[in-house]
Amino acid sequence: AIGPGSIPWLIVAEIFTSDSRGKASCLCVGANWTCNLIVCITYKYLDNALKPNTFFLYFGVCLFFLIFTILFVPETKRKPVEQICREIRDQSLKCPPTVF
């Protein structure tokens, strides 16, 4: 199925250094499976309440995270991990501390 489910495996391999990759993988994959569980638990209730419009809700959530990914996840093509980490660190210094 096409969807954002594979993003945790891709992002972890691209963004994190080898010393932090294990912990980051654990957090990302755990969040992925938690979201899958939420979808499985809530689908029946949402389908009863919204009938054919249920998938528009899930589509909206996927659209939100697609936009979030486009805006905030750095491009990693042909960049070493050190450069990616430096770009993330530089970007985080520009943001107010309440955001990150």
Side-chain angles (χ1 to χ4, degrees), residues 2-53:
I2 297 175
S6 61
I7 290 176
W9 285 273
L10 298 172
I11 297 297
V12 169
E14 293 288 327
I15 291 182
F16 294 100
T17 58
S18 59
D19 59 332
S20 62
R21 196 169 289 154
K23 291 177 184 176
S25 178
C26 179
L27 289 173
C28 291
V29 172
N32 182 30
W33 280 105
T34 302
C35 291
N36 288 336
L37 178 65
I38 291 169
V39 169
C40 289
I41 291 171
T42 61
Y43 176 75
K44 184 173 86 172
Y45 302 108
L46 288 171
D47 190 44
N48 289 338
L50 301 175
K51 298 295 180 200
N53 298 321

mmCIF file of all heavy atoms in Angstrom, residues 2-53:
data_model
loop_
_atom_site.group_PDB
_atom_site.id
_atom_site.type_symbol
_atom_site.label_atom_id
_atom_site.label_comp_id
_atom_site.label_asym_id
_atom_site.label_seq_id
_atom_site.Cartn_x
_atom_site.Cartn_y
_atom_site.Cartn_z
ATOM 1 N N ILE A 2 0.421 2.250 -0.672
ATOM 2 C CA ILE A 2 1.144 3.512 -0.718
ATOM 3 C C ILE A 2 0.748 4.329 0.497
ATOM 4 O O ILE A 2 -0.429 4.484 0.796
ATOM 5 C CB ILE A 2 0.822 4.278 -2.011
ATOM 6 C CG1 ILE A 2 1.291 3.483 -3.218
ATOM 7 C CG2 ILE A 2 1.453 5.655 -1.984
ATOM 8 C CD1 ILE A 2 0.907 4.096 -4.530
ATOM 9 N N GLY A 3 1.718 4.845 1.187
ATOM 10 C CA GLY A 3 1.435 5.647 2.362
ATOM 11 C C GLY A 3 2.718 6.009 3.080
ATOM 12 O O GLY A 3 3.819 5.645 2.648
ATOM 13 N N PRO A 4 2.587 6.701 4.204
ATOM 14 C CA PRO A 4 3.766 7.169 4.935
ATOM 15 C C PRO A 4 4.382 6.128 5.859
ATOM 16 O O PRO A 4 5.294 6.435 6.605
ATOM 17 C CB PRO A 4 3.213 8.350 5.737
ATOM 18 C CG PRO A 4 1.787 7.992 5.973
ATOM 19 C CD PRO A 4 1.346 7.244 4.738
ATOM 20 N N GLY A 5 3.919 4.882 5.806
ATOM 21 C CA GLY A 5 4.391 3.868 6.736
ATOM 22 C C GLY A 5 5.860 3.521 6.620
ATOM 23 O O GLY A 5 6.482 3.085 7.581
ATOM 24 N N SER A 6 6.453 3.709 5.459
ATOM 25 C CA SER A 6 7.870 3.356 5.293
ATOM 26 C C SER A 6 8.814 4.494 5.659
ATOM 27 O O SER A 6 10.037 4.292 5.697
ATOM 28 C CB SER A 6 8.121 2.942 3.849
ATOM 29 O OG SER A 6 7.824 4.024 2.982
ATOM 30 N N ILE A 7 8.292 5.648 5.947
ATOM 31 C CA ILE A 7 9.143 6.806 6.240
ATOM 32 C C ILE A 7 10.073 6.579 7.434
ATOM 33 O O ILE A 7 11.247 6.961 7.363
ATOM 34 C CB ILE A 7 8.289 8.083 6.414
ATOM 35 C CG1 ILE A 7 7.715 8.473 5.061
ATOM 36 C CG2 ILE A 7 9.092 9.224 7.002
ATOM 37 C CD1 ILE A 7 6.784 9.657 5.100
ATOM 38 N N PRO A 8 9.618 5.955 8.537
ATOM 39 C CA PRO A 8 10.566 5.775 9.651
ATOM 40 C C PRO A 8 11.824 5.013 9.261
ATOM 41 O O PRO A 8 12.921 5.376 9.697
ATOM 42 C CB PRO A 8 9.756 4.992 10.687
ATOM 43 C CG PRO A 8 8.350 5.332 10.402
ATOM 44 C CD PRO A 8 8.271 5.530 8.921
ATOM 45 N N TRP A 9 11.702 3.997 8.435
ATOM 46 C CA TRP A 9 12.876 3.223 8.040
ATOM 47 C C TRP A 9 13.779 4.037 7.116
ATOM 48 O O TRP A 9 14.997 3.930 7.190
ATOM 49 C CB TRP A 9 12.448 1.927 7.366
ATOM 50 C CG TRP A 9 11.936 0.919 8.356
ATOM 51 C CD1 TRP A 9 12.681 0.014 9.045
ATOM 52 C CD2 TRP A 9 10.590 0.735 8.778
ATOM 53 N NE1 TRP A 9 11.878 -0.728 9.868
ATOM 54 C CE2 TRP A 9 10.578 -0.315 9.721
ATOM 55 C CE3 TRP A 9 9.382 1.341 8.459
ATOM 56 C CZ2 TRP A 9 9.428 -0.751 10.336
ATOM 57 C CZ3 TRP A 9 8.232 0.893 9.076
ATOM 58 C CH2 TRP A 9 8.263 -0.137 10.000
ATOM 59 N N LEU A 10 13.200 4.857 6.258
ATOM 60 C CA LEU A 10 14.001 5.666 5.345
ATOM 61 C C LEU A 10 14.707 6.802 6.060
ATOM 62 O O LEU A 10 15.893 7.053 5.850
ATOM 63 C CB LEU A 10 13.117 6.234 4.235
ATOM 64 C CG LEU A 10 12.430 5.231 3.324
ATOM 65 C CD1 LEU A 10 11.453 5.935 2.411
ATOM 66 C CD2 LEU A 10 13.451 4.456 2.537
ATOM 67 N N ILE A 11 13.976 7.505 6.902
ATOM 68 C CA ILE A 11 14.530 8.671 7.582
ATOM 69 C C ILE A 11 15.662 8.273 8.522
ATOM 70 O O ILE A 11 16.701 8.920 8.569
ATOM 71 C CB ILE A 11 13.429 9.431 8.347
ATOM 72 C CG1 ILE A 11 12.392 9.972 7.386
ATOM 73 C CG2 ILE A 11 14.001 10.545 9.204
ATOM 74 C CD1 ILE A 11 12.905 10.985 6.410
ATOM 75 N N VAL A 12 15.451 7.212 9.277
ATOM 76 C CA VAL A 12 16.476 6.786 10.234
ATOM 77 C C VAL A 12 17.774 6.456 9.522
ATOM 78 O O VAL A 12 18.859 6.841 9.969
ATOM 79 C CB VAL A 12 15.963 5.581 11.060
ATOM 80 C CG1 VAL A 12 17.084 4.960 11.860
ATOM 81 C CG2 VAL A 12 14.850 6.031 11.981
ATOM 82 N N ALA A 13 17.686 5.768 8.419
ATOM 83 C CA ALA A 13 18.898 5.389 7.691
ATOM 84 C C ALA A 13 19.608 6.590 7.087
ATOM 85 O O ALA A 13 20.830 6.584 6.927
ATOM 86 C CB ALA A 13 18.542 4.389 6.594
ATOM 87 N N GLU A 14 18.875 7.629 6.751
ATOM 88 C CA GLU A 14 19.455 8.789 6.071
ATOM 89 C C GLU A 14 19.957 9.868 7.027
ATOM 90 O O GLU A 14 20.976 10.489 6.762
ATOM 91 C CB GLU A 14 18.412 9.418 5.138
ATOM 92 C CG GLU A 14 18.039 8.559 3.969
ATOM 93 C CD GLU A 14 19.138 8.473 2.928
ATOM 94 O OE1 GLU A 14 19.873 9.459 2.752
ATOM 95 O OE2 GLU A 14 19.262 7.400 2.324
ATOM 96 N N ILE A 15 19.232 10.139 8.093
ATOM 97 C CA ILE A 15 19.500 11.329 8.897
ATOM 98 C C ILE A 15 20.407 11.073 10.091
ATOM 99 O O ILE A 15 21.234 11.907 10.433
ATOM 100 C CB ILE A 15 18.170 11.972 9.360
ATOM 101 C CG1 ILE A 15 17.459 12.561 8.160
ATOM 102 C CG2 ILE A 15 18.387 13.039 10.402
ATOM 103 C CD1 ILE A 15 16.178 13.262 8.472
ATOM 104 N N PHE A 16 20.278 9.925 10.730
ATOM 105 C CA PHE A 16 20.983 9.720 11.992
ATOM 106 C C PHE A 16 22.341 9.062 11.785
ATOM 107 O O PHE A 16 22.532 8.254 10.891
ATOM 108 C CB PHE A 16 20.122 8.866 12.934
ATOM 109 C CG PHE A 16 18.864 9.552 13.356
ATOM 110 C CD1 PHE A 16 17.661 9.250 12.747
ATOM 111 C CD2 PHE A 16 18.884 10.517 14.345
ATOM 112 C CE1 PHE A 16 16.495 9.890 13.117
ATOM 113 C CE2 PHE A 16 17.720 11.168 14.726
ATOM 114 C CZ PHE A 16 16.536 10.846 14.105
ATOM 115 N N THR A 17 23.276 9.430 12.655
ATOM 116 C CA THR A 17 24.595 8.815 12.620
ATOM 117 C C THR A 17 24.503 7.394 13.160
ATOM 118 O O THR A 17 23.532 7.028 13.816
ATOM 119 C CB THR A 17 25.593 9.627 13.466
ATOM 120 O OG1 THR A 17 25.110 9.697 14.805
ATOM 121 C CG2 THR A 17 25.759 11.038 12.911
ATOM 122 N N SER A 18 25.518 6.608 12.913
ATOM 123 C CA SER A 18 25.474 5.195 13.293
ATOM 124 C C SER A 18 25.385 4.994 14.805
ATOM 125 O O SER A 18 24.800 4.022 15.263
ATOM 126 C CB SER A 18 26.679 4.454 12.728
ATOM 127 O OG SER A 18 27.864 5.024 13.214
ATOM 128 N N ASP A 19 25.940 5.918 15.599
ATOM 129 C CA ASP A 19 25.886 5.747 17.049
ATOM 130 C C ASP A 19 24.494 6.026 17.632
ATOM 131 O O ASP A 19 24.155 5.508 18.682
ATOM 132 C CB ASP A 19 26.945 6.602 17.747
ATOM 133 C CG ASP A 19 26.793 8.077 17.460
ATOM 134 O OD1 ASP A 19 26.280 8.423 16.380
ATOM 135 O OD2 ASP A 19 27.190 8.892 18.313
ATOM 136 N N SER A 20 23.680 6.820 16.954
ATOM 137 C CA SER A 20 22.332 7.113 17.454
ATOM 138 C C SER A 20 21.237 6.436 16.627
ATOM 139 O O SER A 20 20.066 6.580 16.938
ATOM 140 C CB SER A 20 22.105 8.625 17.466
ATOM 141 O OG SER A 20 22.178 9.145 16.160
ATOM 142 N N ARG A 21 21.606 5.698 15.619
ATOM 143 C CA ARG A 21 20.631 5.098 14.715
ATOM 144 C C ARG A 21 19.739 4.074 15.404
ATOM 145 O O ARG A 21 18.554 3.982 15.121
ATOM 146 C CB ARG A 21 21.345 4.470 13.528
ATOM 147 C CG ARG A 21 20.434 4.176 12.372
ATOM 148 C CD ARG A 21 21.213 3.800 11.142
ATOM 149 N NE ARG A 21 21.885 4.986 10.631
ATOM 150 C CZ ARG A 21 22.992 4.974 9.921
ATOM 151 N NH1 ARG A 21 23.571 3.833 9.625
ATOM 152 N NH2 ARG A 21 23.533 6.083 9.491
ATOM 153 N N GLY A 22 20.265 3.316 16.338
ATOM 154 C CA GLY A 22 19.470 2.306 17.037
ATOM 155 C C GLY A 22 18.355 2.917 17.861
ATOM 156 O O GLY A 22 17.193 2.493 17.780
ATOM 157 N N LYS A 23 18.680 3.938 18.657
ATOM 158 C CA LYS A 23 17.658 4.604 19.483
ATOM 159 C C LYS A 23 16.654 5.340 18.612
ATOM 160 O O LYS A 23 15.450 5.322 18.875
ATOM 161 C CB LYS A 23 18.324 5.565 20.459
ATOM 162 C CG LYS A 23 19.125 4.875 21.525
ATOM 163 C CD LYS A 23 19.815 5.866 22.426
ATOM 164 C CE LYS A 23 20.683 5.141 23.426
ATOM 165 N NZ LYS A 23 21.442 6.054 24.262
ATOM 166 N N ALA A 24 17.135 6.000 17.582
ATOM 167 C CA ALA A 24 16.230 6.728 16.686
ATOM 168 C C ALA A 24 15.301 5.767 15.963
ATOM 169 O O ALA A 24 14.111 6.046 15.792
ATOM 170 C CB ALA A 24 17.044 7.538 15.680
ATOM 171 N N SER A 25 15.822 4.629 15.547
ATOM 172 C CA SER A 25 14.999 3.627 14.879
ATOM 173 C C SER A 25 13.918 3.129 15.814
ATOM 174 O O SER A 25 12.753 2.966 15.420
ATOM 175 C CB SER A 25 15.876 2.471 14.406
ATOM 176 O OG SER A 25 15.083 1.479 13.811
ATOM 177 N N CYS A 26 14.281 2.878 17.056
ATOM 178 C CA CYS A 26 13.309 2.420 18.049
ATOM 179 C C CYS A 26 12.176 3.436 18.221
ATOM 180 O O CYS A 26 10.997 3.069 18.223
ATOM 181 C CB CYS A 26 14.026 2.186 19.375
ATOM 182 S SG CYS A 26 12.946 1.655 20.704
ATOM 183 N N LEU A 27 12.512 4.703 18.337
ATOM 184 C CA LEU A 27 11.494 5.741 18.511
ATOM 185 C C LEU A 27 10.621 5.911 17.268
ATOM 186 O O LEU A 27 9.394 5.999 17.362
ATOM 187 C CB LEU A 27 12.155 7.075 18.861
ATOM 188 C CG LEU A 27 12.758 7.174 20.251
ATOM 189 C CD1 LEU A 27 13.528 8.478 20.395
ATOM 190 C CD2 LEU A 27 11.688 7.075 21.305
ATOM 191 N N CYS A 28 11.240 5.946 16.111
ATOM 192 C CA CYS A 28 10.490 6.157 14.874
ATOM 193 C C CYS A 28 9.570 4.989 14.546
ATOM 194 O O CYS A 28 8.405 5.179 14.197
ATOM 195 C CB CYS A 28 11.450 6.407 13.711
ATOM 196 S SG CYS A 28 12.318 7.969 13.815
ATOM 197 N N VAL A 29 10.083 3.791 14.669
ATOM 198 C CA VAL A 29 9.268 2.614 14.367
ATOM 199 C C VAL A 29 8.174 2.445 15.425
ATOM 200 O O VAL A 29 7.043 2.071 15.107
ATOM 201 C CB VAL A 29 10.159 1.359 14.234
ATOM 202 C CG1 VAL A 29 9.333 0.106 14.110
ATOM 203 C CG2 VAL A 29 11.077 1.510 13.035
ATOM 204 N N GLY A 30 8.499 2.747 16.678
ATOM 205 C CA GLY A 30 7.481 2.701 17.735
ATOM 206 C C GLY A 30 6.354 3.684 17.477
ATOM 207 O O GLY A 30 5.174 3.363 17.651
ATOM 208 N N ALA A 31 6.703 4.895 17.046
ATOM 209 C CA ALA A 31 5.671 5.881 16.704
ATOM 210 C C ALA A 31 4.843 5.410 15.512
ATOM 211 O O ALA A 31 3.619 5.591 15.484
ATOM 212 C CB ALA A 31 6.323 7.228 16.403
ATOM 213 N N ASN A 32 5.490 4.797 14.531
ATOM 214 C CA ASN A 32 4.786 4.285 13.362
ATOM 215 C C ASN A 32 3.757 3.228 13.767
ATOM 216 O O ASN A 32 2.599 3.276 13.349
ATOM 217 C CB ASN A 32 5.797 3.711 12.373
ATOM 218 C CG ASN A 32 5.144 3.203 11.109
ATOM 219 O OD1 ASN A 32 4.112 3.691 10.676
ATOM 220 N ND2 ASN A 32 5.757 2.211 10.505
ATOM 221 N N TRP A 33 4.176 2.268 14.575
ATOM 222 C CA TRP A 33 3.254 1.209 14.982
ATOM 223 C C TRP A 33 2.164 1.726 15.916
ATOM 224 O O TRP A 33 1.028 1.232 15.903
ATOM 225 C CB TRP A 33 4.026 0.055 15.621
ATOM 226 C CG TRP A 33 4.635 -0.810 14.588
ATOM 227 C CD1 TRP A 33 5.959 -0.861 14.238
ATOM 228 C CD2 TRP A 33 3.968 -1.729 13.725
ATOM 229 N NE1 TRP A 33 6.145 -1.748 13.209
ATOM 230 C CE2 TRP A 33 4.932 -2.308 12.881
ATOM 231 C CE3 TRP A 33 2.647 -2.111 13.566
ATOM 232 C CZ2 TRP A 33 4.624 -3.240 11.913
ATOM 233 C CZ3 TRP A 33 2.341 -3.052 12.600
ATOM 234 C CH2 TRP A 33 3.315 -3.606 11.796
ATOM 235 N N THR A 34 2.471 2.734 16.723
ATOM 236 C CA THR A 34 1.443 3.350 17.569
ATOM 237 C C THR A 34 0.379 4.010 16.711
ATOM 238 O O THR A 34 -0.823 3.876 16.970
ATOM 239 C CB THR A 34 2.082 4.370 18.528
ATOM 240 O OG1 THR A 34 3.060 3.697 19.329
ATOM 241 C CG2 THR A 34 1.043 5.010 19.421
ATOM 242 N N CYS A 35 0.800 4.705 15.669
ATOM 243 C CA CYS A 35 -0.170 5.322 14.747
ATOM 244 C C CYS A 35 -0.986 4.262 14.026
ATOM 245 O O CYS A 35 -2.201 4.439 13.833
ATOM 246 C CB CYS A 35 0.547 6.220 13.751
ATOM 247 S SG CYS A 35 1.244 7.695 14.500
ATOM 248 N N ASN A 36 -0.365 3.151 13.639
ATOM 249 C CA ASN A 36 -1.111 2.058 13.017
ATOM 250 C C ASN A 36 -2.156 1.504 13.975
ATOM 251 O O ASN A 36 -3.288 1.196 13.571
ATOM 252 C CB ASN A 36 -0.165 0.938 12.581
ATOM 253 C CG ASN A 36 0.667 1.317 11.394
ATOM 254 O OD1 ASN A 36 0.299 2.186 10.615
ATOM 255 N ND2 ASN A 36 1.805 0.679 11.247
ATOM 256 N N LEU A 37 -1.797 1.367 15.242
ATOM 257 C CA LEU A 37 -2.744 0.881 16.248
ATOM 258 C C LEU A 37 -3.913 1.854 16.411
ATOM 259 O O LEU A 37 -5.070 1.438 16.484
ATOM 260 C CB LEU A 37 -2.027 0.673 17.582
ATOM 261 C CG LEU A 37 -2.901 0.220 18.744
ATOM 262 C CD1 LEU A 37 -3.454 -1.174 18.478
ATOM 263 C CD2 LEU A 37 -2.107 0.242 20.040
ATOM 264 N N ILE A 38 -3.622 3.141 16.427
ATOM 265 C CA ILE A 38 -4.681 4.148 16.549
ATOM 266 C C ILE A 38 -5.644 4.065 15.374
ATOM 267 O O ILE A 38 -6.865 4.132 15.549
ATOM 268 C CB ILE A 38 -4.067 5.561 16.697
ATOM 269 C CG1 ILE A 38 -3.383 5.688 18.047
ATOM 270 C CG2 ILE A 38 -5.131 6.641 16.518
ATOM 271 C CD1 ILE A 38 -2.523 6.928 18.182
ATOM 272 N N VAL A 39 -5.115 3.897 14.182
ATOM 273 C CA VAL A 39 -5.972 3.760 13.001
ATOM 274 C C VAL A 39 -6.844 2.518 13.126
ATOM 275 O O VAL A 39 -8.052 2.556 12.877
ATOM 276 C CB VAL A 39 -5.135 3.724 11.703
ATOM 277 C CG1 VAL A 39 -5.988 3.312 10.518
ATOM 278 C CG2 VAL A 39 -4.512 5.086 11.447
ATOM 279 N N CYS A 40 -6.249 1.405 13.530
ATOM 280 C CA CYS A 40 -7.019 0.162 13.658
ATOM 281 C C CYS A 40 -8.111 0.273 14.707
ATOM 282 O O CYS A 40 -9.222 -0.231 14.509
ATOM 283 C CB CYS A 40 -6.096 -0.995 14.007
ATOM 284 S SG CYS A 40 -5.034 -1.493 12.648
ATOM 285 N N ILE A 41 -7.830 0.923 15.816
ATOM 286 C CA ILE A 41 -8.815 1.046 16.886
ATOM 287 C C ILE A 41 -9.928 2.020 16.510
ATOM 288 O O ILE A 41 -11.102 1.775 16.791
ATOM 289 C CB ILE A 41 -8.126 1.481 18.196
ATOM 290 C CG1 ILE A 41 -7.246 0.335 18.714
ATOM 291 C CG2 ILE A 41 -9.141 1.888 19.250
ATOM 292 C CD1 ILE A 41 -6.364 0.731 19.886
ATOM 293 N N THR A 42 -9.577 3.120 15.875
ATOM 294 C CA THR A 42 -10.571 4.165 15.626
ATOM 295 C C THR A 42 -11.375 3.986 14.346
ATOM 296 O O THR A 42 -12.426 4.607 14.197
ATOM 297 C CB THR A 42 -9.897 5.551 15.568
ATOM 298 O OG1 THR A 42 -8.941 5.568 14.504
ATOM 299 C CG2 THR A 42 -9.234 5.889 16.884
ATOM 300 N N TYR A 43 -10.917 3.150 13.434
ATOM 301 C CA TYR A 43 -11.588 3.067 12.137
ATOM 302 C C TYR A 43 -13.051 2.662 12.254
ATOM 303 O O TYR A 43 -13.920 3.269 11.636
ATOM 304 C CB TYR A 43 -10.860 2.110 11.183
ATOM 305 C CG TYR A 43 -11.612 1.967 9.894
ATOM 306 C CD1 TYR A 43 -11.589 2.987 8.958
ATOM 307 C CD2 TYR A 43 -12.408 0.858 9.638
ATOM 308 C CE1 TYR A 43 -12.315 2.892 7.782
ATOM 309 C CE2 TYR A 43 -13.132 0.744 8.476
ATOM 310 C CZ TYR A 43 -13.083 1.766 7.549
ATOM 311 O OH TYR A 43 -13.806 1.672 6.401
ATOM 312 N N LYS A 44 -13.348 1.648 13.026
ATOM 313 C CA LYS A 44 -14.728 1.165 13.138
ATOM 314 C C LYS A 44 -15.660 2.262 13.650
ATOM 315 O O LYS A 44 -16.747 2.464 13.107
ATOM 316 C CB LYS A 44 -14.784 -0.057 14.056
ATOM 317 C CG LYS A 44 -16.156 -0.686 14.163
ATOM 318 C CD LYS A 44 -16.115 -1.973 14.951
ATOM 319 C CE LYS A 44 -16.250 -1.662 16.414
ATOM 320 N NZ LYS A 44 -16.417 -2.860 17.247
ATOM 321 N N TYR A 45 -15.220 2.990 14.664
ATOM 322 C CA TYR A 45 -16.046 4.050 15.244
ATOM 323 C C TYR A 45 -16.204 5.221 14.281
ATOM 324 O O TYR A 45 -17.290 5.786 14.148
ATOM 325 C CB TYR A 45 -15.453 4.516 16.572
ATOM 326 C CG TYR A 45 -15.329 3.391 17.570
ATOM 327 C CD1 TYR A 45 -14.090 2.857 17.899
ATOM 328 C CD2 TYR A 45 -16.449 2.841 18.162
ATOM 329 C CE1 TYR A 45 -13.975 1.815 18.808
ATOM 330 C CE2 TYR A 45 -16.362 1.800 19.072
ATOM 331 C CZ TYR A 45 -15.118 1.295 19.382
ATOM 332 O OH TYR A 45 -15.016 0.267 20.269
ATOM 333 N N LEU A 46 -15.127 5.584 13.625
ATOM 334 C CA LEU A 46 -15.203 6.678 12.659
ATOM 335 C C LEU A 46 -16.056 6.289 11.451
ATOM 336 O O LEU A 46 -16.802 7.120 10.929
ATOM 337 C CB LEU A 46 -13.802 7.087 12.203
ATOM 338 C CG LEU A 46 -12.971 7.824 13.242
ATOM 339 C CD1 LEU A 46 -11.540 7.989 12.757
ATOM 340 C CD2 LEU A 46 -13.581 9.154 13.586
ATOM 341 N N ASP A 47 -15.955 5.050 11.028
ATOM 342 C CA ASP A 47 -16.754 4.599 9.896
ATOM 343 C C ASP A 47 -18.243 4.621 10.238
ATOM 344 O O ASP A 47 -19.065 5.005 9.404
ATOM 345 C CB ASP A 47 -16.325 3.199 9.467
ATOM 346 C CG ASP A 47 -16.951 2.791 8.145
ATOM 347 O OD1 ASP A 47 -16.972 3.628 7.225
ATOM 348 O OD2 ASP A 47 -17.421 1.638 8.036
ATOM 349 N N ASN A 48 -18.584 4.230 11.447
ATOM 350 C CA ASN A 48 -19.985 4.294 11.874
ATOM 351 C C ASN A 48 -20.491 5.728 11.948
ATOM 352 O O ASN A 48 -21.645 6.003 11.638
ATOM 353 C CB ASN A 48 -20.172 3.610 13.225
ATOM 354 C CG ASN A 48 -20.037 2.105 13.133
ATOM 355 O OD1 ASN A 48 -20.209 1.520 12.065
ATOM 356 N ND2 ASN A 48 -19.694 1.483 14.245
ATOM 357 N N ALA A 49 -19.631 6.644 12.348
ATOM 358 C CA ALA A 49 -20.046 8.036 12.507
ATOM 359 C C ALA A 49 -20.013 8.813 11.194
ATOM 360 O O ALA A 49 -20.900 9.624 10.931
ATOM 361 C CB ALA A 49 -19.151 8.731 13.534
ATOM 362 N N LEU A 50 -19.014 8.586 10.373
ATOM 363 C CA LEU A 50 -18.811 9.398 9.172
ATOM 364 C C LEU A 50 -19.212 8.704 7.885
ATOM 365 O O LEU A 50 -19.220 9.326 6.829
ATOM 366 C CB LEU A 50 -17.344 9.831 9.081
ATOM 367 C CG LEU A 50 -16.805 10.644 10.248
ATOM 368 C CD1 LEU A 50 -15.322 10.883 10.080
ATOM 369 C CD2 LEU A 50 -17.548 11.949 10.381
ATOM 370 N N LYS A 51 -19.482 7.413 7.960
ATOM 371 C CA LYS A 51 -19.847 6.574 6.798
ATOM 372 C C LYS A 51 -18.825 6.726 5.667
ATOM 373 O O LYS A 51 -17.655 6.495 5.900
ATOM 374 C CB LYS A 51 -21.282 6.858 6.346
ATOM 375 C CG LYS A 51 -22.309 6.538 7.407
ATOM 376 C CD LYS A 51 -22.333 5.064 7.696
ATOM 377 C CE LYS A 51 -23.390 4.792 8.767
ATOM 378 N NZ LYS A 51 -23.215 3.569 9.445
ATOM 379 N N PRO A 52 -19.216 7.162 4.480
ATOM 380 C CA PRO A 52 -18.253 7.164 3.365
ATOM 381 C C PRO A 52 -17.169 8.241 3.473
ATOM 382 O O PRO A 52 -16.217 8.247 2.700
ATOM 383 C CB PRO A 52 -19.118 7.397 2.130
ATOM 384 C CG PRO A 52 -20.289 8.142 2.635
ATOM 385 C CD PRO A 52 -20.532 7.611 4.033
ATOM 386 N N ASN A 53 -17.311 9.137 4.422
ATOM 387 C CA ASN A 53 -16.341 10.234 4.540
ATOM 388 C C ASN A 53 -15.167 9.902 5.456
ATOM 389 O O ASN A 53 -14.314 10.757 5.686
ATOM 390 C CB ASN A 53 -17.047 11.490 5.039
ATOM 391 C CG ASN A 53 -18.109 11.951 4.080
ATOM 392 O OD1 ASN A 53 -17.917 11.883 2.868
ATOM 393 N ND2 ASN A 53 -19.237 12.388 4.596
#
